[in-house]
């Protein structure tokens, strides 16, 4: 069994469509089982940077606290539905330990620091914060070792992200490599971890298969490949939790078109 936590955070996004992330989270929530779903209130204010280089940091910290409390209250693995990718920090924090691997299924690595980020938006820094680096007020301590991180479907990297990947030898699985469902499971097992946390940003999918994302990247993964890879991974390694993020449909009608794909991914996680 899994517990669903809907966290309609938009303040970590760099997109002009950021507030549509609330609509996306609510659209997904409408198709989740009501008895096992907790919907968190959106933080109403935009938030401020609190003297840092992270935009809207005060609102991000407030939502992180709400997510952490909800995950800790769940007796089952929690699947946190965003909202932007920044919700993953609060979702991972309660389950983080030395035996945890993190699978980041995303077109982007989200490994910038506040200093290197071209936007100042936290959704591009969240995985770096999960490794324990970045803004002191909003990072995981102690962080997850880069040796326990697997990137999958990643194809758009900034220079600092590439440097960090190369320096630490982080495993990167290309979108087309996910056609073999063994590849992801084997990469996670090679980390030596006994549990896995899975993050899915919907922009990992090819734009032909997912329209409701604000930052699409060409040559993405196929839904069938991601679903099969997740199912095989779950057969091999216990799931500690998951996130599914960055759904920002352009209209209610567009949301209907994408929800079937989204629910297939949620089914593979849950």
């Amino acid at each position: 069994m899994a517990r669903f936590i809907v966290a309609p955070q938009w303040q970590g996004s760099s997109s002009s469509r950021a507030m549509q992330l609330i609509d996306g989270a609510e659209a997904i929530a409408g198709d989740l089982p009501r008895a096992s779903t907790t919907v968190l209130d959106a933080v109403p204010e935009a938030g401020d940077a609190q003297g840092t280089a992270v935009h809207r940091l005060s609102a991000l910290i407030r939502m992180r606290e709400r997510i952490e409390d909800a995950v800790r209250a769940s007796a089952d693995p929690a699947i946190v539905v965003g909202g932007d990718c920044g919700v993953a920090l609060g979702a991972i924090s309660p389950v983080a330990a030395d035996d945890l691997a993190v699978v980041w299924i995303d077109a982007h690595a989200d490994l910038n620091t506040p200093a290197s980020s071209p936007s100042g938006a936290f959704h591009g820094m969240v995985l770096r914060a999960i490794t324990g680096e970045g803004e002191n007020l909003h990072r995981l301590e102690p962080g997850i070792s880069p040796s326990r991180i697997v990137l999958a479907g990643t194809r758009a990297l900034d220079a600092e992200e590439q440097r960090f990947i190369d320096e630490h030898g982080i495993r990167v699985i290309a979108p087309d490599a996910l056609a073999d469902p063994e590849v992801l499971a084997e990469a996670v097992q090679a980390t030596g971890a006994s549990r896995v946390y899975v993050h899915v940003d919907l922009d990992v999918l090819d734009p032909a298969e997912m329209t409701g994302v604000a930052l699409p990247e060409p040559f993405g993964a196929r839904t069938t490949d991601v679903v099969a890879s997740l199912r095989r991974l779950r057969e091999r390694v216990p799931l500690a939790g998951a996130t599914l993020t960055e759904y920002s449909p352009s209209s209610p009608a567009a949301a209907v078109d994408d929800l079937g794909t989204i629910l297939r991914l949620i089914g593979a996680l849950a």
Side-chain angles (χ1 to χ4, degrees), residues 3-7 9 28 67 71 77-95 102-106 110 126-127 130 196-204 226 230 239-247 262 265-266 268-270:
R3 183 79 192 172
F4 299 99
I5 298 166
V6 179
Q9 174 177 285
I28 297 170
I67 295 169
V71 172
I79 298 176
V80 177
V81 175
D84 64 69
C85 284
V87 301
L89 179 60
I92 289 176
S93 177
V95 299
V102 174
V103 171
W104 204 257
I105 304 177
D106 195 324
D110 300 340
V126 57
L127 185 54
I130 287 167
V196 64
Y197 190 96
V198 177
H199 168 82
V200 179
D201 180 328
L202 291 170
D203 69 17
V204 74
V226 177
L230 289 174
L239 184 73
T243 38
L244 185 136
T245 65
E246 299 286 349
Y247 185 47
I262 293 169
L265 293 166
I266 290 175
L269 292 168

Coordinates of all heavy atoms in Angstrom, one line a residue, residues 3-7 9 28 67 71 77-95 102-106 110 126-127 130 196-204 226 230 239-247 262 265-266 268-270:
R3 N 0.7 5.7 0.5 CA -0.1 6.9 0.9 C 0.3 8.1 -0.1 O 1.4 8.3 -0.4 CB 0.3 7.4 2.3 CG -0.5 8.6 2.8 CD -1.8 8.2 3.3 NE -2.7 9.3 3.5 CZ -4.0 9.3 3.8 NH1 -4.6 8.1 3.9 NH2 -4.7 10.3 4.0
F4 N -0.7 8.7 -0.6 CA -0.5 9.8 -1.5 C -0.6 11.2 -0.8 O -1.5 11.4 0.0 CB -1.5 9.8 -2.6 CG -1.5 8.6 -3.5 CD1 -2.4 7.5 -3.2 CD2 -0.5 8.4 -4.5 CE1 -2.3 6.4 -4.0 CE2 -0.5 7.2 -5.2 CZ -1.4 6.2 -5.0
I5 N 0.4 12.0 -1.0 CA 0.4 13.4 -0.4 C 0.5 14.4 -1.6 O 1.5 14.3 -2.3 CB 1.6 13.5 0.5 CG1 1.4 12.5 1.7 CG2 1.7 15.0 1.1 CD1 2.7 12.4 2.5
V6 N -0.5 15.2 -1.7 CA -0.5 16.2 -2.8 C 0.0 17.5 -2.3 O -0.6 18.1 -1.3 CB -1.9 16.3 -3.4 CG1 -2.0 17.3 -4.5 CG2 -2.4 15.0 -3.9
A7 N 1.1 18.0 -2.9 CA 1.8 19.2 -2.4 C 1.8 20.2 -3.6 O 2.7 20.2 -4.4 CB 3.2 18.9 -1.9
Q9 N 2.9 22.9 -4.7 CA 3.9 24.0 -4.6 C 4.3 24.5 -6.0 O 4.5 23.7 -6.9 CB 5.2 23.5 -3.9 CG 6.3 24.4 -3.9 CD 7.5 23.9 -3.2 OE1 7.5 23.8 -1.9 NE2 8.5 23.4 -3.9
I28 N -4.5 15.7 -10.7 CA -4.1 14.4 -10.4 C -4.8 13.9 -9.1 O -5.2 12.8 -9.0 CB -2.5 14.4 -10.2 CG1 -1.8 14.7 -11.5 CG2 -2.1 13.0 -9.7 CD1 -0.3 14.9 -11.3
I67 N 5.2 19.0 4.2 CA 5.4 17.7 3.5 C 6.1 16.7 4.5 O 5.7 15.5 4.6 CB 6.3 17.8 2.3 CG1 5.5 18.6 1.2 CG2 6.7 16.5 1.7 CD1 6.4 19.1 0.1
V71 N 4.6 13.0 5.6 CA 5.4 11.8 5.3 C 5.6 11.0 6.6 O 5.5 9.8 6.7 CB 6.7 12.1 4.6 CG1 7.5 10.8 4.5 CG2 6.4 12.7 3.2
P77 N 4.8 3.7 2.6 CA 5.6 4.6 1.7 C 4.7 5.7 1.1 O 3.6 5.4 0.6 CB 6.1 3.6 0.7 CG 6.1 2.3 1.3 CD 4.9 2.3 2.2
A78 N 5.2 6.9 1.2 CA 4.5 8.1 0.7 C 4.9 8.4 -0.7 O 6.1 8.5 -1.1 CB 4.7 9.3 1.6
I79 N 3.9 8.6 -1.6 CA 4.1 9.2 -2.9 C 3.6 10.6 -2.9 O 2.4 10.9 -2.7 CB 3.4 8.3 -4.0 CG1 3.9 6.9 -4.0 CG2 3.5 9.0 -5.4 CD1 3.2 6.0 -4.9
V80 N 4.6 11.5 -3.0 CA 4.3 13.0 -3.0 C 4.1 13.5 -4.4 O 4.9 13.3 -5.3 CB 5.4 13.7 -2.3 CG1 5.1 15.2 -2.3 CG2 5.5 13.3 -0.8
V81 N 2.9 14.0 -4.6 CA 2.6 14.6 -6.0 C 2.7 16.1 -5.9 O 2.0 16.7 -5.1 CB 1.1 14.2 -6.3 CG1 0.7 14.8 -7.7 CG2 1.0 12.6 -6.4
G82 N 3.6 16.6 -6.8 CA 3.7 18.1 -6.8 C 2.8 18.6 -7.9 O 2.0 17.9 -8.5
G83 N 2.9 19.9 -8.1 CA 3.9 20.8 -7.6 C 5.2 20.7 -8.4 O 5.5 19.8 -9.2
D84 N 6.1 21.6 -8.1 CA 7.5 21.6 -8.7 C 8.4 20.6 -8.0 O 8.0 20.0 -7.0 CB 8.1 23.0 -8.7 CG 8.3 23.5 -7.3 OD1 9.2 23.0 -6.6 OD2 7.7 24.5 -6.9
C85 N 9.5 20.3 -8.7 CA 10.5 19.3 -8.2 C 11.0 19.6 -6.8 O 11.4 18.7 -6.1 CB 11.6 19.2 -9.1 SG 11.3 18.3 -10.7
G86 N 10.9 20.8 -6.3 CA 11.4 21.1 -5.0 C 10.7 20.4 -3.9 O 11.3 20.3 -2.8
V87 N 9.5 19.8 -4.1 CA 8.8 19.1 -3.1 C 9.6 17.8 -2.7 O 9.4 17.3 -1.6 CB 7.4 18.7 -3.5 CG1 6.6 20.0 -3.8 CG2 7.4 17.7 -4.6
A88 N 10.5 17.4 -3.5 CA 11.3 16.2 -3.2 C 12.2 16.3 -2.0 O 12.4 15.3 -1.3 CB 12.1 15.8 -4.4
L89 N 12.6 17.5 -1.7 CA 13.5 17.7 -0.5 C 12.7 17.3 0.8 O 13.2 16.5 1.6 CB 14.0 19.1 -0.4 CG 14.9 19.4 0.8 CD1 16.1 18.5 0.8 CD2 15.3 20.9 0.8
G90 N 11.5 17.8 1.0 CA 10.7 17.5 2.1 C 10.3 16.0 2.1 O 10.1 15.4 3.2
A91 N 10.1 15.5 1.0 CA 9.6 14.1 0.9 C 10.7 13.1 1.2 O 10.4 12.1 1.8 CB 9.1 13.8 -0.6
I92 N 11.9 13.4 0.8 CA 13.0 12.5 1.1 C 13.5 12.6 2.5 O 13.9 11.6 3.1 CB 14.2 12.7 0.1 CG1 13.8 12.3 -1.3 CG2 15.5 12.0 0.5 CD1 14.8 12.5 -2.4
S93 N 13.5 13.8 3.1 CA 14.1 14.1 4.4 C 13.7 13.0 5.5 O 14.6 12.5 6.2 CB 13.7 15.5 4.8 OG 14.2 15.7 6.1
P94 N 12.4 12.7 5.6 CA 12.1 11.8 6.7 C 12.5 10.3 6.5 O 12.6 9.6 7.5 CB 10.5 11.8 6.7 CG 10.2 13.1 6.1 CD 11.2 13.3 5.0
V95 N 12.9 9.9 5.3 CA 13.3 8.5 5.0 C 14.8 8.4 4.7 O 15.3 7.3 4.4 CB 12.4 7.9 3.9 CG1 11.0 7.9 4.3 CG2 12.7 8.7 2.6
V102 N 18.8 7.2 -4.4 CA 17.9 8.1 -5.0 C 17.9 8.0 -6.5 O 19.0 8.2 -7.1 CB 18.1 9.6 -4.6 CG1 17.2 10.5 -5.3 CG2 18.0 9.7 -3.1
V103 N 16.8 7.6 -7.1 CA 16.7 7.6 -8.6 C 16.0 8.9 -9.0 O 14.9 9.1 -8.6 CB 15.9 6.3 -9.0 CG1 15.6 6.4 -10.5 CG2 16.7 5.1 -8.7
W104 N 16.7 9.6 -9.9 CA 16.1 10.9 -10.3 C 15.8 10.8 -11.8 O 16.6 10.9 -12.7 CB 17.2 12.0 -10.1 CG 16.6 13.4 -10.0 CD1 16.6 14.4 -10.9 CD2 16.0 14.0 -8.8 NE1 16.1 15.5 -10.5 CE2 15.7 15.3 -9.2 CE3 15.7 13.5 -7.6 CZ2 15.1 16.2 -8.3 CZ3 15.1 14.3 -6.7 CH2 14.8 15.6 -7.0
I105 N 14.5 10.6 -12.1 CA 14.0 10.4 -13.5 C 13.5 11.7 -14.0 O 12.4 12.1 -13.7 CB 13.0 9.3 -13.5 CG1 13.5 8.0 -12.9 CG2 12.5 9.0 -14.9 CD1 12.5 6.8 -12.8
D106 N 14.3 12.4 -14.8 CA 14.1 13.8 -15.0 C 14.9 14.2 -16.3 O 16.0 13.7 -16.5 CB 14.6 14.6 -13.8 CG 14.1 16.0 -13.8 OD1 14.0 16.6 -14.9 OD2 13.8 16.5 -12.7
D110 N 18.9 18.9 -12.1 CA 18.6 19.7 -10.9 C 19.7 19.7 -9.9 O 19.5 19.6 -8.6 CB 17.3 19.1 -10.2 CG 16.1 19.2 -11.2 OD1 16.1 19.9 -12.1 OD2 15.1 18.4 -10.9
V126 N 17.3 21.2 -6.4 CA 16.9 20.4 -5.3 C 17.7 19.1 -5.2 O 18.0 18.7 -4.0 CB 15.4 20.0 -5.5 CG1 15.1 19.4 -6.9 CG2 14.8 19.1 -4.4
L127 N 18.2 18.5 -6.2 CA 19.0 17.3 -6.0 C 20.3 17.6 -5.4 O 20.8 16.8 -4.6 CB 19.1 16.5 -7.4 CG 19.9 15.2 -7.3 CD1 19.2 14.2 -6.3 CD2 20.0 14.5 -8.7
I130 N 19.7 17.8 -1.9 CA 19.5 16.4 -1.3 C 20.9 15.8 -1.0 O 21.1 14.9 -0.1 CB 18.7 15.6 -2.2 CG1 17.2 16.0 -2.2 CG2 18.8 14.1 -1.9 CD1 16.3 15.5 -3.2
V196 N 15.2 2.3 -2.0 CA 15.3 3.3 -3.0 C 14.2 4.4 -2.9 O 13.0 4.0 -2.6 CB 15.3 2.7 -4.4 CG1 14.0 2.0 -4.7 CG2 15.6 3.7 -5.5
Y197 N 14.5 5.6 -3.2 CA 13.6 6.7 -3.4 C 13.5 7.1 -4.8 O 14.6 7.3 -5.4 CB 13.9 7.9 -2.5 CG 12.8 8.9 -2.5 CD1 11.9 8.9 -1.4 CD2 12.6 9.8 -3.5 CE1 10.9 9.8 -1.4 CE2 11.5 10.7 -3.5 CZ 10.7 10.7 -2.4 OH 9.6 11.5 -2.4
V198 N 12.3 7.2 -5.4 CA 12.2 7.4 -6.9 C 11.5 8.8 -7.1 O 10.4 9.0 -6.6 CB 11.4 6.3 -7.6 CG1 11.2 6.7 -9.0 CG2 12.1 5.0 -7.4
H199 N 12.2 9.6 -7.8 CA 11.6 10.9 -8.2 C 11.3 10.9 -9.7 O 12.2 10.6 -10.5 CB 12.6 12.0 -7.9 CG 12.2 13.4 -8.5 ND1 11.3 14.2 -7.9 CD2 12.6 14.0 -9.6 CE1 11.2 15.3 -8.7 NE2 12.0 15.2 -9.7
V200 N 10.1 11.3 -10.1 CA 9.8 11.4 -11.5 C 9.3 12.8 -11.8 O 8.3 13.2 -11.3 CB 8.6 10.3 -11.9 CG1 8.3 10.5 -13.4 CG2 9.1 8.9 -11.6
D201 N 10.0 13.4 -12.7 CA 9.6 14.7 -13.3 C 9.0 14.4 -14.6 O 9.6 13.7 -15.5 CB 10.8 15.6 -13.4 CG 10.4 17.0 -14.0 OD1 9.5 17.1 -14.8 OD2 11.1 18.0 -13.7
L202 N 7.8 14.8 -14.9 CA 7.1 14.4 -16.1 C 7.8 14.9 -17.4 O 7.5 14.3 -18.5 CB 5.6 14.9 -16.1 CG 4.7 14.2 -15.0 CD1 3.4 14.9 -14.9 CD2 4.5 12.7 -15.4
D203 N 8.7 15.8 -17.3 CA 9.4 16.2 -18.5 C 10.4 15.2 -18.9 O 11.1 15.4 -20.0 CB 10.0 17.6 -18.3 CG 11.2 17.7 -17.3 OD1 11.8 16.7 -17.0 OD2 11.5 18.8 -16.9
V204 N 10.6 14.1 -18.2 CA 11.5 13.0 -18.6 C 10.9 12.4 -19.9 O 11.6 11.8 -20.7 CB 11.7 12.0 -17.5 CG1 10.4 11.1 -17.3 CG2 12.9 11.1 -17.9
V226 N 9.5 3.8 -19.2 CA 9.6 4.2 -17.8 C 8.8 3.3 -16.8 O 9.2 2.9 -15.8 CB 9.2 5.7 -17.6 CG1 9.3 6.1 -16.2 CG2 10.1 6.6 -18.5
L230 N 10.3 1.1 -13.8 CA 9.9 1.3 -12.4 C 9.4 -0.1 -11.8 O 9.7 -0.4 -10.7 CB 8.8 2.3 -12.4 CG 9.2 3.8 -12.6 CD1 8.0 4.7 -12.7 CD2 10.2 4.2 -11.6
L239 N 10.8 0.1 -2.0 CA 10.6 1.5 -2.2 C 10.4 2.2 -0.9 O 9.5 1.8 -0.1 CB 9.3 1.7 -3.0 CG 9.0 3.1 -3.4 CD1 9.9 3.6 -4.5 CD2 7.5 3.2 -3.9
A240 N 11.2 3.3 -0.7 CA 11.1 4.1 0.6 C 10.1 5.2 0.4 O 9.6 5.7 1.4 CB 12.5 4.6 0.9
G241 N 9.9 5.6 -0.9 CA 9.0 6.7 -1.2 C 9.2 7.2 -2.6 O 10.1 6.7 -3.3
A242 N 8.4 8.1 -3.0 CA 8.5 8.6 -4.4 C 7.9 10.0 -4.5 O 7.1 10.4 -3.7 CB 7.8 7.7 -5.3
T243 N 8.3 10.7 -5.6 CA 7.6 11.9 -6.0 C 7.3 11.9 -7.4 O 8.0 11.3 -8.2 CB 8.5 13.2 -5.7 OG1 9.9 12.9 -6.0 CG2 8.4 13.6 -4.3
L244 N 6.2 12.6 -7.8 CA 5.8 12.8 -9.2 C 5.5 14.2 -9.4 O 4.6 14.7 -8.6 CB 4.7 11.9 -9.6 CG 4.3 12.0 -11.1 CD1 4.0 10.6 -11.7 CD2 3.1 12.9 -11.3
T245 N 6.2 14.9 -10.2 CA 6.1 16.4 -10.2 C 6.0 17.0 -11.6 O 6.2 16.4 -12.6 CB 7.4 17.0 -9.5 OG1 8.5 16.6 -10.3 CG2 7.6 16.4 -8.1
E246 N 5.9 18.4 -11.6 CA 6.0 19.3 -12.7 C 4.9 19.1 -13.7 O 5.1 19.3 -14.9 CB 7.3 19.2 -13.4 CG 8.5 19.6 -12.5 CD 8.7 21.0 -12.2 OE1 8.0 21.8 -12.9 OE2 9.4 21.4 -11.3
Y247 N 3.6 18.8 -13.3 CA 2.5 18.8 -14.2 C 1.8 20.1 -14.2 O 1.2 20.5 -13.2 CB 1.5 17.7 -13.8 CG 0.4 17.5 -14.8 CD1 0.7 17.4 -16.2 CD2 -0.9 17.4 -14.4 CE1 -0.3 17.3 -17.1 CE2 -1.9 17.2 -15.3 CZ -1.6 17.2 -16.7 OH -2.6 17.0 -17.6
I262 N -0.2 9.8 -16.7 CA 0.3 10.0 -15.4 C -0.1 8.9 -14.4 O 0.6 8.4 -13.6 CB -0.3 11.4 -14.9 CG1 0.4 12.5 -15.7 CG2 -0.1 11.6 -13.4 CD1 -0.3 13.9 -15.4
L265 N 2.1 5.9 -14.6 CA 3.3 6.1 -13.8 C 3.1 5.9 -12.3 O 3.9 5.3 -11.6 CB 3.9 7.5 -14.1 CG 4.4 7.7 -15.5 CD1 4.7 9.2 -15.8 CD2 5.7 6.9 -15.8
I266 N 2.0 6.5 -11.8 CA 1.7 6.4 -10.4 C 1.4 4.9 -10.1 O 1.8 4.4 -9.0 CB 0.4 7.3 -10.1 CG1 0.9 8.7 -10.1 CG2 -0.1 6.9 -8.7 CD1 -0.3 9.7 -9.9
A268 N 2.8 2.3 -11.4 CA 4.1 1.6 -11.4 C 4.8 1.9 -10.1 O 5.5 1.1 -9.5 CB 4.9 2.0 -12.6
L269 N 4.6 3.1 -9.5 CA 5.2 3.5 -8.2 C 4.5 2.9 -7.1 O 5.1 2.5 -6.1 CB 5.2 5.0 -8.1 CG 6.2 5.8 -9.0 CD1 5.9 7.3 -9.0 CD2 7.6 5.5 -8.7
A270 N 3.1 2.9 -7.2 CA 2.3 2.5 -6.0 C 2.0 1.0 -5.9 O 1.6 0.5 -4.9 CB 1.0 3.2 -6.0

